[in-house]
Amino acid sequence: MTDTPGTPGATGTFDTPELTTDLERAAWVRLGSVLDPEIRRPVTELGMVASITESAEPTGTGTGHLTIGIRLTIAGCPLRDTITQDVERALEGLEGCTGVEVVMAVMTAEQRASLKELLTAGRPKNQFEKGSLARVYAVASGKGGVGKSTVTANLATALADRGLSVGLVDADIHGFSIPGLLGTTAKPTRVDEMILPPVAQGVKVISIGMFLDADRPVAWRGPMLHRALEQFVTDVYWGDLDVLLVDLPPGTGDIAISAAQLLPTSELLIVTTPQQAAAQVAARAGELAEQTGQQVAGVIENMAAMTLPDGTVLDLFGSGGGQTVADRLTGSLGHAVPLLGSVPLDPLLREDGDGGTPVVLEHPDSAAGTELRRIAGSLAVRPRGLSGLKLPVTPRD
């Protein structure tokens, strides 16, 4: 891989590179399978393929050597090596190809503007307004320490592992932990004011922790918290998502209210432990939905009874708290709120979270992994009414 100050054949806008040989045309077709790691669309659609040139081998014998010019969105793109490897892999085994060289350059300001226009054309600034086809789950808890973020990270990766397009907003601004749970230190890429979120474990993810130095505290009040969440919703390019999960901070503060305003179709998932004292606090977080106009999709009980190797069942945090929350919310909200599942205490859940690989991927058959995958499966197939949705239907003559 080499760098050049300019891009071969670049004209300042997205032009299909001139293809003069059968091998160049075959290479173009193969490159259609290469997805930009952040945008998750083919590089051939995004104006990233500047040129495909067949020439003689560097030794001067025969033809079949391909030079692929790739435009990166920004200088120093952290995923340049990934793109290079994906291009080389796509052209591997191409009949008549004797070698591949990937030449990197950077998009001009005009080309970046064209890319932004391509990605945002026809999309509202907030793509999760009423009428959105994406399902939005805001994961809440009454208090901290119940494993809400761990549950959120595992649900997101389990849904992505089922083939869904999933986004994850770490809205716990003061106590962000999602990047660590997903094992990513990647930074978002900025294209003018548009933010491209990194992909971790198959999930598009954004967190305030990606913009700060490690361990730097966030000392913000309400208006700044609202603005941060607003940017995560409106300035981040999410693409076409099937599911967006939002990891809310504990309690019923500013962020929870802002999330309801910015994500009007969001449904709440309430995480609690079996302990009755925790259940009482968790129910308050669910009852906020009565004021914000949200639905509560269900309750998830975490840290439930674990079965020891000798068969003994250990109820370290008591029992019944999850069902208590579900029953109380069913009564107070006027619609059925199910207990979606009880995730048992499992050392693997903690160990995999600390290691940055969610248990649903690292140990899917473990006690916690099995239950979390089952809960994710139930969320993936939940029916959704079409009332109030704007469907993309165009009348024909």
Side-chain angles (χ1 to χ4, degrees):
M1 182 186 72
T2 59
D3 290 322
T4 60
T7 303
T11 62
T13 56
F14 296 155
D15 296 327
T16 301
E18 184 178 353
L19 308 173
T20 59
T21 71
D22 289 341
L23 183 60
E24 291 172 359
R25 286 185 281 271
W28 172 262
V29 173
R30 288 280 191 99
L31 291 176
S33 68
V34 177
L35 302 183
D36 177 86
E38 296 169 313
I39 303 174
R40 311 302 287 177
R41 286 176 58 175
V43 293
T44 50
E45 292 181 7
L46 301 175
M48 295 179 66
V49 181
S51 62
I52 304 174
T53 307
E54 180 184 4
S55 62
E57 284 284 354
T59 58
T61 58
T63 58
H65 184 80
L66 289 174
T67 301
I68 311 297
I70 296 291
R71 301 184 183 108
L72 300 174
T73 53
I74 60 170
C77 175
L79 297 173
R80 60 191 298 121
D81 291 341
T82 299
I83 296 172
T84 298
Q85 293 165 10
D86 289 348
V87 168
E88 293 173 343
R89 191 177 300 113
L91 299 177
E92 193 174 293
L94 180 61
E95 185 177 356
C97 178
T98 59
V100 175
E101 179 185 14
V102 180
V103 179
M104 294 290 188
V106 180
M107 287 185 177
T108 64
E110 185 179 2
Q111 289 165 347
R112 282 194 295 272
S114 296
L115 175 62
K116 181 186 173 186
E117 182 179 353
L118 172 70
L119 296 177
T120 58
R123 292 179 181 273
K125 187 167 179 62
N126 180 355
Q127 69 183 74
F128 304 109
E129 294 174 340
K130 289 184 178 179
S132 169
L133 295 177
R135 185 141 228 158
V136 182
Y137 292 113
V139 187
S141 67
K143 59 193 289 293
V146 300
K148 169 184 55 61
S149 296
T150 298
V151 168
T152 306
N154 276 276
L155 290 179
T157 50
L159 288 165
D161 196 49
R162 294 174 65 92
L164 299 179
S165 178
V166 181
L168 174 51
V169 174
D170 187 356
D172 194 349
I173 304 296
H174 292 122
F176 57 86
S177 58
I178 290 295
L181 291 168
L182 294 181
T184 182
T185 58
K187 302 293 185 183
T189 299
R190 296 195 75 104
V191 179
D192 297 329
E193 69 272 19
M194 184 172 66
I195 301 171
L196 304 180
V199 177
Q201 312 294 355
V203 177
K204 293 181 179 179
V205 59
I206 197 73
S207 170
I208 196 66
M210 296 174 173
F211 299 89
L212 302 176
D213 296 332
D215 299 324
R216 179 182 172 186
V218 179
W220 292 352
R221 290 185 173 178
M224 292 183 69
L225 296 172
H226 178 89
R227 178 55 184 149
L229 182 59
E230 184 178 36
Q231 284 190 291
F232 288 169
V233 172
T234 61
D235 292 355
V236 172
Y237 174 74
W238 292 106
D240 295 320
L241 293 183
D242 296 308
V243 181
L244 177 73
L245 287 103
V246 183
D247 184 32
L248 295 175
T252 56
D254 293 325
I255 287 288
I257 297 171
S258 293
Q261 294 172 344
L262 293 166
L263 302 164
T265 65
S266 60
E267 303 171 82
L268 289 174
L269 294 174
I270 306 301
V271 178
T272 186
T273 64
Q275 185 180 6
Q276 292 299 317
Q280 292 174 5
V281 180
R284 294 178 208 148
E287 287 168 348
L288 178 68
E290 199 168 23
Q291 301 176 44
T292 59
Q294 295 168 285
Q295 291 283 106
V296 178
V299 176
I300 299 172
E301 186 180 68
N302 193 30
M303 305 182 190
M306 69 182 298
T307 303
L308 301 178
D310 64 358
T312 304
V313 176
L314 177 62
D315 289 325
L316 187 61
F317 292 100
S319 63
Q323 190 62 59
T324 297
V325 176
D327 292 343
R328 175 171 163 178
L329 292 177
T330 296
S332 62
L333 299 179
H335 66 85
V337 176
L339 175 62
L340 297 175
S342 296
V343 182
L345 275 170
D346 189 340
L348 290 174
L349 181 61
R350 191 271 305 166
E351 292 170 9
D352 291 342
D354 288 347
T357 306
V359 72
V360 294
L361 300 182
E362 189 71 9
H363 295 97
D365 297 325
S366 64
T370 298
E371 181 66 354
L372 284 162
R373 290 177 71 87
R374 188 194 66 76
I375 295 170
S378 69
L379 293 175
V381 298
R382 285 182 71 234
R384 178 171 182 178
L386 298 180
S387 176
L389 293 182
K390 296 180 180 178
L391 300 179
V393 177
T394 303
R396 298 182 62 180
D397 296 332

